[in-house]
Amino acid sequence: MTDHKDVHLRIDLLDPASQTLKIELSWTPEVQMQRWTLPIWTPGSYTVRDPSQHLHSLAFYQHDQQVETRRLSPSRWSAKLPCLERVRLVYKLEAKQLTVRTSFLDPEFASLCLSAVCMLVDGKRWERHVLELLLPEGWRGFVPLPQDDSFYISRDFDQLVDSPVHAGSFEDCAFIVDGCHHSLLLIGSPPTGWPDTLVADIEAVCGAAASLMGESPPSGDRYQLVIQMLDSGYGGLEHNDGAVLQFAWPALAEPNGYHQLLQLVGHEYLHQWNVRRLRPREYIPYDHGVAVVSDSLWFAEGITSYFDLALPLLAGRSTRKTFLRDLGKDLSHVLLSPGAQVQSLADSSREAWVRLYKCTPAGADTQISYYKLGAALAFCLDVQLRALGVSLAQVVRDLWQSFGQVGRGYGRCDIQNALAVYSQELADQLPCWLDQKGTLPIKECLEQLGLILHPVLANTAWTGLTLADHPKGVRVTRVRIESPAHHANLVAGDEIVAVRGHRLYSVDQWTLLQPGADPIAIIYARRGRLEETQVIPAPKHTQDYTVEWNPLAPHEARVLRDRWLEIR
């Protein structure tokens, strides 16, 4: 049942082949000057995407009479009304981007991120919003909102746009976590079908996340997990009461593919605590109209990334050996990334809006992911806390009780205060790890656990070149700073024409022509001119690290390692 005070959103999907959404938003105004905004970003994906670029045919009506509108900015409009009777705003949105943070529609299904669809009307943010879907015959709608007849009811705008919409001719299935009934929606499938244990494995991993936090999922019975199986792509976006994941079936077929999928499930599921409800204070409430900077994204994503490595282990779906392998990959990324010596973890968080989500190949020289570096910091914190008889998980649970459960936003000082309960020294050390570069005691923490960081040498000499196939040949996409290619004056954008006297047509051929420590004669094209240079490869270098048991570790290190591997 709807009320005249409700904001009513109708989404027409009846012509899916048009890949266009027909939107009607109606409400009862309280003042004659009306303003509304289409959000410019989606919480959980910290970059400005401006979905208004996909909007057209906007019109505003009262009593079926069109009212003149004025565009105040690319994503904001206004109109002056003759009276305060109910109004209708209609517009169309192209829905051709299949990502977890955009909107997509075709004759098979719809996947909509409502923060890229629904306007925020000034003065109506905290009013009840009602969603109506017009669907093709045979389609069903799937939205993690309570229903009243054919309508979905949200308490306010924020809950509405935090509820992804999916529709099609598919079915969902149930899974249970700590007594809470959840919904699993599978869109697409691998060529050989889903594993028979999929639902049980998802239940186990999500149950491990609830166990880590020490309580039932805060979403209760409303959680909706959507997995879109595609031919390419990877990612996820968390919501208060669900998550949307994308995974590529070729990746699933890899030896470690299914394990990675379970880690992704666990990562997004854990987010219903950390970041959705235990939220940096800058995001309470969200400001949908501007980019909001926070230096706490490392905690939101890095802590979650650290724990997602362990959730399959806690769920009994993995082994300690696999956990150490995955941890080694994340630590390798940090130790071998030149960006870790240029960008601090706090800056990585603050600059997410302009760096992480707009990363270029060359960006790796000057930036570091707060997911990876944040996970490394989480590891160091966990080891130091374990040595004191407590754990990082306990600190996160403490913050959850003080902030997440009551809807209070936290800041750096609050994290320090939570650490100070167990170690003032750790609390005082945290700003150094966040604000200074290259300060994490990764190797020392591994030694405390009786673990060894073992370097893996590359099979070939190093040039510092990253290449990609291009319609016109082979292009340089990145030149590592202070590498042999850098000293040979090659730059991104150069086309490699010939190597060692042989015409180059593909990256595969480069792999065949590059080996050896002898100088590499290269002919390249830059802005249409042919040039020559010589790259002198560096000797074999460390391309990776693995984390391994130290058979000579003292007894106290082995005891600490066993406590650490409990994770909780």
Side-chain angles (χ1 to χ4, degrees):
M1 183 71 65
T2 61
D3 186 273
H4 77 283
K5 293 182 179 179
D6 295 338
V7 178
H8 190 106
L9 172 66
R10 176 181 294 155
I11 305 178
D12 183 341
L13 307 175
L14 293 174
D15 185 11
S18 70
Q19 295 196 282
T20 299
L21 311 177
K22 298 177 182 178
I23 311 297
E24 180 179 300
L25 194 68
S26 61
W27 67 92
T28 302
E30 297 177 359
V31 294
Q32 287 181 274
M33 180 58 71
Q34 292 293 291
R35 297 181 179 88
W36 57 90
T37 306
L38 186 63
I40 66 171
W41 67 286
T42 297
S45 181
Y46 306 97
T47 193
V48 173
R49 298 187 185 277
D50 278 331
S52 60
Q53 64 185 294
H54 307 296
L55 182 149
H56 63 89
S57 305
L58 183 144
F60 190 51
Y61 296 93
Q62 188 176 60
H63 295 309
D64 293 326
Q65 297 294 315
Q66 187 166 351
V67 179
E68 182 181 359
T69 61
R70 179 187 176 196
R71 196 163 195 156
L72 304 176
S73 76
S75 298
R76 186 163 170 78
W77 294 259
S78 70
K80 187 171 183 180
L81 298 172
C83 64
L84 298 182
E85 297 297 321
R86 197 164 180 84
V87 295
R88 290 187 305 118
L89 176 67
V90 298
Y91 52 95
K92 296 180 180 180
L93 280 166
E94 296 176 356
K96 300 178 181 180
Q97 293 183 317
L98 183 52
T99 74
V100 297
R101 62 193 70 83
T102 54
S103 295
F104 180 81
L105 174 66
D106 74 6
E108 294 185 3
F109 75 101
S111 176
L112 313 180
C113 182
L114 290 188
S115 60
V117 171
C118 184
M119 299 283 189
L120 171 56
V121 180
D122 283 14
K124 298 293 184 179
R125 178 171 184 173
W126 309 115
E127 301 291 332
R128 193 171 81 149
H129 283 59
V130 176
L131 171 65
E132 179 184 4
L133 300 177
L134 303 183
L135 303 176
E137 185 176 355
W139 281 29
R140 290 179 59 203
F142 301 87
V143 187
L145 285 172
Q147 279 189 266
D148 186 349
D149 295 328
S150 59
F151 301 118
Y152 298 92
I153 309 298
S154 63
R155 61 179 175 270
D156 52 36
F157 175 85
D158 282 29
Q159 186 185 29
L160 174 71
V161 297
D162 188 44
S163 303
V165 171
H166 291 83
S169 57
F170 29 72
E171 301 289 332
D172 59 343
C173 61
F175 67 103
I176 300 174
V177 177
D178 201 20
C180 297
H181 293 257
H182 296 345
S183 174
L184 173 63
L185 183 61
L186 301 175
I187 300 177
S189 65
T192 56
W194 289 102
D196 294 336
T197 60
L198 177 68
V199 176
D201 293 340
I202 287 176
E203 281 186 340
V205 169
C206 294
S211 177
L212 185 76
M213 293 303 300
E215 64 171 40
S216 297
S219 60
D221 291 330
R222 193 168 294 145
Y223 196 86
Q224 183 181 93
L225 176 63
V226 180
I227 303 178
Q228 300 174 4
M229 185 56 59
L230 309 173
D231 58 351
S232 64
Y234 174 88
L237 184 65
E238 71 275 2
H239 299 273
N240 266 25
D241 299 326
V244 183
L245 279 56
Q246 290 187 338
F247 207 83
W249 66 258
L252 192 67
E254 294 293 325
N256 195 42
Y258 186 59
H259 176 73
Q260 290 179 328
L261 175 60
L262 293 180
Q263 286 181 324
L264 181 60
V265 168
H267 181 103
E268 303 303 340
Y269 194 80
L270 188 56
H271 267 323
Q272 65 180 296
W273 286 274
N274 189 25
V275 86
R276 291 306 314 183
R277 293 172 173 88
L278 177 56
R279 197 187 301 177
R281 66 165 57 100
E282 293 88 352
Y283 300 115
I284 295 183
Y286 293 116
D287 188 332
H288 299 281
V290 299
V292 180
V293 173
S294 171
D295 73 354
S296 296
L297 292 182
W298 72 269
F299 190 91
E301 292 295 354
I303 297 288
T304 307
S305 294
Y306 172 65
F307 285 127
D308 80 38
L309 299 177
L311 290 178
L313 174 63
L314 294 178
R317 265 55 181 181
S318 185
T319 65
R320 290 183 171 188
K321 182 178 180 180
T322 300
F323 172 59
L324 291 182
R325 179 202 64 195
D326 294 342
L327 177 64
K329 288 181 178 179
D330 277 7
L331 297 181
S332 290
H333 180 92
V334 171
L335 292 169
L336 296 174
S337 172
Q341 303 303 317
V342 177
Q343 186 184 51
S344 71
L345 181 51
D347 279 340
S348 177
S349 298
R350 285 187 283 258
E351 295 170 3
W353 294 89
V354 293
R355 301 298 300 272
L356 182 68
Y357 292 93
K358 294 179 170 66
C359 185
T360 64
D365 287 321
T366 57
Q367 68 185 93
I368 181 71
S369 165
Y370 54 77
Y371 285 77
K372 301 293 187 183
L373 187 53
L377 188 150
F379 164 71
C380 294
L381 281 177
D382 201 14
V383 174
Q384 299 299 320
L385 288 165
R386 286 288 174 181
L388 299 171
V390 70
S391 68
L392 178 61
Q394 182 59 59
V395 173
V396 174
R397 288 191 291 268
D398 292 347
L399 286 164
W400 167 253
Q401 295 293 330
S402 299
F403 294 89
Q405 277 198 339
V406 295
R408 292 173 57 207
Y410 67 85
R412 180 188 294 194
C413 62
D414 301 306
I415 300 172
Q416 287 182 268
N417 290 338
L419 289 171
V421 172
Y422 305 103
S423 170
Q424 186 61 53
E425 183 180 353
L426 266 182
D428 294 339
Q429 180 64 41
L430 184 64
C432 173
W433 290 351
L434 291 175
D435 297 326
Q436 297 182 27
K437 300 173 279 291
T439 55
L440 287 182
I442 293 173
K443 295 180 181 179
E444 294 84 347
C445 288
L446 288 169
E447 290 175 2
Q448 279 185 262
L449 298 174
L451 298 172
I452 300 172
L453 196 64
H454 181 71
V456 178
L457 298 180
N459 292 325
T460 60
W462 183 58
T463 64
L465 276 175
T466 301
L467 305 176
D469 289 322
H470 188 270
K472 292 185 178 180
V474 177
R475 287 284 176 88
V476 177
T477 58
R478 178 191 175 195
V479 177
R480 180 80 170 260
I481 299 298
E482 298 301 327
S483 69
H486 174 202
H487 295 303
N489 291 324
L490 290 170
V491 299
D494 288 345
E495 177 190 348
I496 306 299
V497 177
V499 176
R500 301 191 193 276
H502 294 269
R503 181 72 170 92
L504 190 68
Y505 294 99
S506 71
V507 174
D508 289 339
Q509 290 178 323
W510 164 264
T511 304
L512 297 174
L513 293 167
Q514 176 201 359
D518 295 336
I520 304 173
I522 291 178
I523 297 175
Y524 63 96
R526 180 182 297 163
R527 292 188 292 275
R529 292 179 57 86
L530 292 178
E531 304 286 352
E532 295 183 22
T533 191
Q534 182 173 261
V535 175
I536 302 175
K540 290 185 177 181
H541 66 291
T542 300
Q543 68 172 8
D544 204 357
Y545 287 102
T546 59
V547 173
E548 301 176 1
W549 308 109
N550 180 2
L552 302 178
H555 174 73
E556 59 270 21
R558 296 197 300 271
V559 171
L560 179 60
R561 183 172 65 207
D562 287 339
R563 288 207 304 266
W564 168 68
L565 286 168
E566 293 173 0
I567 306 301
R568 295 184 179 88

